[in-house]
Amino acid sequence: LLITIPASFYEGANQGQLDVSSFDINVKEGFGDDEDYWYPLDEVEVEFDVENKGNWDIKDVEVKVCLLDTRTGDCVMDEDDMDLSDDKFDLDEDDDEQTVLLTFTLDPKDLSEDSTKYELYVSAIGEIDDSDSAYDNQETGESRSETIEIRTDENFIVIEDFEFSETVQCGAEVTLSADVW
């Protein structure tokens, strides 16, 4: 089985000189180690900047995301499965930038026990908006990726979403419910 992993998530031209940079990855809840490895059910937050380094305005910049399982070549999560603080915006020429916050929880159902290597791809794609440019109304964009290990082969149990009665009398039976992975 041969799987070809794309060199980048967005492969079009970048005449508008969009730049995706300054990845800051944090595990907000869970047991992962920020940029090194994550576990199922970790809540991950990724902050990054999208900057216009070119000489033309760029309109309708859209952020696309893919958590790629490098073993299978499947995008196991995308921007529809995640929360983006800004997913459509305009950037003026010369160093205008937008900081975007991406948050998501790693659902164990989306992950394969046989895979530990993943790539988080982030793309910013917009349209050049400058009548003085030879590239007016043309698409422009850039991608960035980070390699991440998602550990699914370690022996441990994760319990979350506890539900139980807040008031209980001594000697009474208590019913707990929780999600266990």
Side-chain angles (χ1 to χ4, degrees):
L1 173 67
L2 176 64
I3 297 174
T4 304
I5 306 301
S8 66
F9 186 56
Y10 174 76
E11 295 183 351
N14 191 13
Q15 306 294 8
Q17 298 180 21
L18 277 178
D19 183 50
V20 178
S21 62
S22 304
F23 267 40
D24 182 22
I25 300 173
N26 294 299
V27 174
K28 298 304 284 181
E29 281 190 39
F31 301 100
D33 184 43
D34 294 340
E35 297 171 7
D36 293 328
Y37 58 87
W38 303 333
Y39 288 107
L41 298 174
D42 279 356
E43 181 183 344
V44 179
E45 180 180 87
V46 181
E47 185 177 272
F48 57 93
D49 295 326
V50 178
E51 186 175 1
N52 181 354
K53 293 192 169 194
N55 296 320
W56 308 303
D57 293 344
I58 301 176
K59 68 179 180 179
D60 300 330
V61 177
E62 188 174 2
V63 175
K64 298 282 190 185
V65 182
C66 171
L67 181 62
L68 182 79
D69 180 332
T70 59
R71 186 183 63 79
T72 65
D74 293 332
C75 187
V76 297
M77 295 180 76
D78 63 23
E79 66 277 354
D80 293 334
D81 305 312
M82 305 173 180
D83 293 321
L84 283 166
S85 62
D86 295 291
D87 62 349
K88 209 156 211 182
F89 48 88
D90 298 334
L91 293 172
D92 294 330
E93 62 183 275
D94 295 326
D95 296 325
D96 189 13
E97 76 178 23
Q98 178 75 38
T99 299
V100 179
L101 187 63
L102 169 70
T103 54
F104 56 94
T105 300
L106 293 168
D107 188 339
K109 296 174 195 160
D110 295 333
L111 306 173
S112 170
E113 288 186 31
D114 299 338
S115 297
T116 58
K117 301 291 184 212
Y118 291 80
E119 286 282 329
L120 178 65
Y121 285 95
V122 175
S123 292
I125 306 160
E127 184 179 313
I128 297 171
D129 185 26
D130 192 318
S131 60
D132 293 337
S133 166
Y135 304 104
D136 190 32
N137 296 320
Q138 290 188 17
E139 185 177 86
T140 187
E142 185 190 57
S143 288
R144 174 158 178 192
S145 68
E146 291 287 327
T147 300
I148 193 72
E149 177 185 2
I150 300 178
R151 296 180 176 178
T152 57
D153 58 350
E154 294 182 11
N155 294 324
F156 63 93
I157 296 174
V158 177
I159 303 173
E160 69 172 6
D161 295 331
F162 279 97
E163 292 182 19
F164 56 92
S165 301
E166 290 186 28
T167 307
V168 178
Q169 294 183 2
C170 290
E173 239 180 72
V174 177
T175 302
L176 288 172
S177 68
D179 294 333
V180 178
W181 180 84

